[in-house]
Amino acid sequence: MVMPATFLAILLVVLPGMLYVWAGLPSTSNLSTARLPLSTRIYDRTGTVLLAEIHQGSERRHIVPLSQIAASMRQATIAVEDRTFYQHGGLNLLRTGQAGLDDLIHLRFNQGGSTITQQLVKNIYLSGDRSLLRKLDEAILAVEIEHQYSKAQILEAYLNRIYYGNQAYGVEAAAETYFGKTARQLSLSEAALLAGLPQAPTALDPFTNLNGARARQRVVLDAMVKVGEITAAQAQAASAQKLALQKPSAADDVKAPGFVHWVAAQLEKTYGEELLKNGGLTVITSLDWNLQSIAERQVREKVTALQAQHVTDGALVAVDPKSGGVLAMVGSAGPDVPGGEYNMAIIPRQPGSAFKMFTYTAAIESGKFTMGSWVDDSPVQVRLADGSTYTPRNYDGRYHGWQPIPFALGNSLNIPAVKVELGTGIDRVVDVARRMGVETLSQPTSAYQPSLTLGGYEVPLIDMAAGASTLAAQGTYRHPQAILKITAHDGTTLYRYAAGRGKAALTPQVSFIMADMLSNDRNRALEFGRNSDLVIPGHHVAAKTGTTNDFRDNLTVGFTPNLAVAVWVGNADHTPMRNVSGIVGAAPIFHGFMTAALNGQPDSWFSVPDGLHAVTMNGYIAYLLPGTEQVAQSQQPPSRCEDGCGGGEGGGKHKKHHG
């Protein structure tokens, strides 16, 4: 008895080892990840909504430890593929002998006698060649792997590598592809269906051949009964269970595509293309899927409604002022619109009068103007450095006489804005805009002309949202960010966003004054009338519109203490819209999004910060910074105005405005 045992040991251990060295076969180290491209998965902020998988070629794969694979999936796989898995040392000599005899009789090479370990070897280390020598290599490597790794490690590697059809490699990708869940959540019925697919992934595709997949499922369940993993009653119940297959999708289907591509670009810049496409990263983003869905629907519906006025595209960015997290990003009205391949949320465009948000912030901060100041809306010519003359005009072609600063801002009057800008200093306006998040104003301040305040220089929509977010955060600027956490395939945390970051861009007092002026519907009455789409019933909301004078770009920007939003409509190719103003184009999207986003939430607004002096001037309450009382008094209208003081309810007859 000793001699046969010794001979068997030599046969199974020593001889394969010698052959392994002699044959120059590949190293079997790093079994779990050798030659394994791993998909990067990008999720929403909850980690439950998969936005996209980024991968090399067509393979979708995401490895998981054995502990995160349902026990029924492990049991079903072993029962149908290799029921003696825990007993053999890599080779099932009886099965291999039977399969070999069958191959010899029929002059072919099948794979029916392969153990799970042999299948894993073939998947990782060997080509698809079916020659006798390749089968020998397979056997040698299978024995070698069994000596190096535990059964749990081998089974884990197998389940993470095997192909289940529809570009799904590994059980985690298969569970997501067919059932929209993780491998840990698989039921017995679902596990049995998946375990049967590797035999013929294309022929048994449940999306195209559900009957065939079901028949194979019953084979798996019967195998589980034979090995004692389940009872016949459990098998019958699992076979009868209705399967909720999710709708088949292409490998490249992406939710929130503009946002995902923006995130992917950041990942590639930081970690490189190889790690992005093959590294198996798990990325939890800041995206709120509910808000994203609302935003996509609003942009699509409202842009479609404006087709007759040559509006083909729209974009929206929503930011959490308390963290800087991008909650929603719609880059276009859809992939089928002209220019739908571009992310208009990050491409610089002229913001029109929405830029006045920065001008008036700078004016208040400088102390050269106050909320109680008045400015004369009358003709002005500005001499430029090159000797030419700049003559701003209001969109309605009229002059409105003396207007208090809140009315000049709310009604988006151009001439007062230019006068305020020049009185403040263009350099100050540029500085404040930069501090609030506008990153495209990178030229020397001397390069900017008075048209700056009317949106004459391009700014991406996301920077406009950042500016609104800074006011909403009471002066704290937080760079818009999209990534909350990045985890490597082995569970190591590569990055975690540190909440609370930010820098003081403005004082709470300046921010409050701007919020108060931009949220008071009375301030907009002259040009927009009361209760326009800038008003969200039941909620205090600050808002500012903007339209370029050629109708190529149209914006609405606004905020509450918890949400900052910027909306754009226009055409990606810069062709003009037909008479689409801020209140007609972007404002309906803003209104629809804000109404849905704030639905069911209590109204919240800012308390008056310490240090402000509230005074009643010409019929309205003005909040003044310390030491600016004399400035406010010196900037009052003449005691007798001729047909033009704007201190009343609207100061004049309402006319539709383009600002």
Side-chain angles (χ1 to χ4, degrees):
M1 293 296 292
V2 176
M3 197 64 182
T6 303
F7 177 76
L8 187 61
I10 292 174
L11 180 65
L12 294 180
V13 180
V14 180
L15 183 58
M18 293 174 62
L19 289 172
Y20 176 79
V21 175
W22 170 76
L25 293 175
S27 170
T28 54
S29 61
N30 299 322
L31 177 68
S32 61
T33 57
R35 290 173 52 187
L36 185 63
L38 305 175
S39 302
T40 287
R41 287 188 165 192
I42 299 177
Y43 291 90
D44 75 333
R45 66 190 301 109
T46 68
T48 60
V49 179
L50 179 63
L51 303 178
E53 277 193 70
I54 299 175
H55 43 78
Q56 189 74 50
S58 61
E59 293 188 16
R60 287 182 289 177
R61 190 196 309 267
H62 197 76
I63 64 172
V64 290
L66 199 61
S67 61
Q68 292 185 21
I69 300 173
S72 58
M73 185 67 205
R74 290 176 260 156
Q75 295 161 356
T77 299
I78 292 171
V80 76
E81 293 291 341
D82 186 4
R83 65 181 181 179
T84 62
F85 173 69
Y86 287 109
Q87 285 77 49
H88 65 65
L91 304 176
N92 185 326
L93 297 179
L94 180 61
R95 284 184 67 190
T96 301
Q98 291 173 338
L101 180 61
D102 183 73
D103 290 345
L104 185 61
I105 293 172
H106 295 92
L107 299 178
R108 64 187 180 187
F109 291 105
N110 276 331
Q111 310 301 316
S114 297
T115 64
I116 281 177
T117 312
Q118 287 175 280
Q119 293 180 52
L120 182 60
V121 164
K122 179 181 63 178
N123 189 286
I124 301 177
Y125 302 112
L126 302 176
S127 68
D129 176 22
R130 297 187 177 187
S131 68
L132 183 60
L133 286 177
R134 194 208 64 81
K135 293 288 288 183
L136 180 60
D137 290 343
E138 178 185 296
I140 294 170
L141 288 172
V143 173
E144 183 69 18
I145 282 177
E146 288 279 350
H147 283 299
Q148 290 190 43
Y149 299 98
S150 69
K151 289 291 186 179
Q153 289 173 310
I154 294 170
L155 182 60
E156 178 182 293
Y158 176 83
L159 288 170
N160 277 309
R161 285 178 176 275
I162 201 70
Y163 182 52
Y164 291 90
N166 286 288
Q167 287 76 53
Y169 288 79
V171 65
E172 182 78 354
E176 171 64 36
T177 297
Y178 295 109
F179 301 113
K181 58 175 61 175
T182 66
R184 172 184 277 176
Q185 299 169 321
L186 290 170
S187 67
L188 172 59
S189 178
E190 293 164 342
L193 185 88
L194 293 187
L197 298 183
Q199 184 194 56
T202 302
L204 297 175
D205 183 352
F207 294 138
T208 59
N209 183 17
L210 183 57
N211 289 335
R214 278 291 209 176
R216 176 65 176 166
Q217 178 198 46
R218 287 190 288 274
V219 171
V220 175
L221 290 168
D222 288 343
M224 295 180 74
V225 172
K226 287 179 181 179
V227 298
E229 293 292 359
I230 60 174
T231 66
Q234 288 175 313
Q236 185 176 0
S239 179
Q241 181 181 327
K242 185 177 181 180
L243 291 173
L245 288 171
Q246 71 169 11
K247 185 179 180 181
S249 60
D252 293 331
D253 278 359
V254 173
K255 294 183 174 70
F259 177 79
V260 165
H261 295 155
W262 184 55
V263 169
Q266 297 175 45
L267 293 171
E268 183 174 344
K269 182 178 180 180
T270 303
Y271 298 102
E273 182 181 13
E274 176 65 23
L275 188 59
L276 171 64
K277 292 186 176 180
N278 296 318
L281 303 178
T282 297
V283 183
I284 306 299
T285 69
S286 58
L287 192 88
D288 184 309
W289 181 242
N290 178 53
L291 293 182
Q292 177 70 20
S293 301
I294 294 170
E296 290 180 359
R297 183 171 61 254
Q298 288 296 324
V299 171
R300 182 78 173 182
E301 289 178 358
K302 301 302 191 295
V303 167
T304 300
L306 290 168
Q307 284 182 341
Q309 292 168 271
H310 190 51
V311 178
T312 61
D313 210 356
L316 183 150
V317 177
V319 176
D320 177 3
K322 292 180 169 57
S323 68
V326 175
L327 301 173
M329 176 183 282
V330 180
S332 75
D336 54 339
V337 305
E341 67 272 24
Y342 302 114
N343 185 356
M344 302 306 296
I346 61 174
I347 294 177
R349 301 284 291 224
Q350 290 190 358
S353 291
F355 193 89
K356 292 170 185 173
M357 173 176 66
F358 302 111
T359 300
Y360 282 88
T361 299
I364 297 297
E365 181 189 69
S366 72
K368 294 184 176 182
F369 293 89
T370 75
M371 188 176 171
S373 300
W374 289 56
V375 61
D376 187 14
D377 180 16
S378 61
V380 63
Q381 290 186 333
V382 182
R383 181 73 63 177
L384 303 180
D386 62 1
S388 61
T389 300
Y390 174 64
T391 305
R393 290 181 172 83
N394 294 321
Y395 279 113
D396 62 5
R398 302 178 61 189
Y399 305 104
H400 306 87
W402 286 91
Q403 295 288 327
I405 288 289
F407 287 18
L409 170 61
N411 291 300
S412 200
L413 302 177
N414 288 342
I415 295 172
V418 171
K419 290 182 177 180
V420 169
E421 174 191 43
L422 296 175
T424 302
I426 293 178
D427 57 337
R428 284 181 180 266
V429 175
V430 172
D431 176 58
V432 165
R434 287 171 176 169
R435 278 188 270 140
M436 293 175 67
V438 179
E439 298 182 345
T440 50
L441 299 181
S442 56
Q443 302 178 54
T445 54
S446 59
Y448 295 99
Q449 302 294 333
S451 62
L452 173 70
T453 191
L454 307 184
Y457 296 84
E458 293 184 337
V459 177
L461 192 67
I462 192 167
D463 285 9
M464 297 301 294
S469 178
T470 300
L471 292 175
Q474 297 181 291
T476 299
Y477 167 70
R478 294 180 175 90
H479 190 277
Q481 53 85 24
I483 300 173
L484 300 181
K485 185 180 179 181
I486 303 174
T487 307
H489 70 84
D490 61 359
T492 304
T493 299
L494 302 180
Y495 170 82
R496 187 188 300 274
Y497 177 70
R501 289 180 180 175
K503 56 183 178 181
L506 308 167
T507 66
Q509 290 78 13
V510 170
S511 301
F512 176 84
I513 291 172
M514 288 299 299
D516 187 78
M517 291 195 295
L518 289 171
S519 64
N520 192 331
D521 191 43
R522 178 190 178 192
N523 296 340
R524 302 185 282 256
L526 174 64
E527 295 292 344
F528 298 108
R530 300 300 293 266
N531 297 313
S532 69
D533 275 341
L534 302 181
V535 176
I536 310 300
H539 295 274
H540 282 77
V541 176
K544 181 73 189 75
T545 64
T547 304
T548 55
N549 56 13
D550 51 13
F551 295 105
R552 296 179 194 275
D553 297 282
N554 178 256
L555 281 78
T556 297
V557 182
F559 59 91
T560 70
N562 302 308
L563 186 63
V565 178
V567 180
W568 168 87
V569 297
N571 300 298
D573 63 0
H574 289 272
T575 54
M577 300 171 285
R578 287 194 281 272
N579 298 319
V580 177
S581 67
I583 202 65
V584 174
I589 298 174
F590 177 84
H591 181 87
F593 177 79
M594 278 294 198
T595 299
L598 299 176
N599 183 41
Q601 297 184 21
D603 184 30
S604 66
W605 196 242
F606 310 96
S607 58
V608 181
D610 294 338
L612 288 180
H613 183 203
V615 298
T616 300
M617 305 186 74
N618 297 293
Y620 68 95
I621 296 176
Y623 294 97
L624 307 180
L625 296 176
T628 62
E629 290 83 357
Q630 288 187 344
V631 174
Q633 290 295 339
S634 67
Q635 293 174 341
Q636 296 302 297
S639 57
R640 296 179 64 186
C641 294
E642 296 181 5
D643 187 36
C645 284
E649 170 63 20
K653 187 177 181 180
H654 165 62
K655 294 186 69 176
K656 182 178 286 189
H657 182 54
H658 304 302

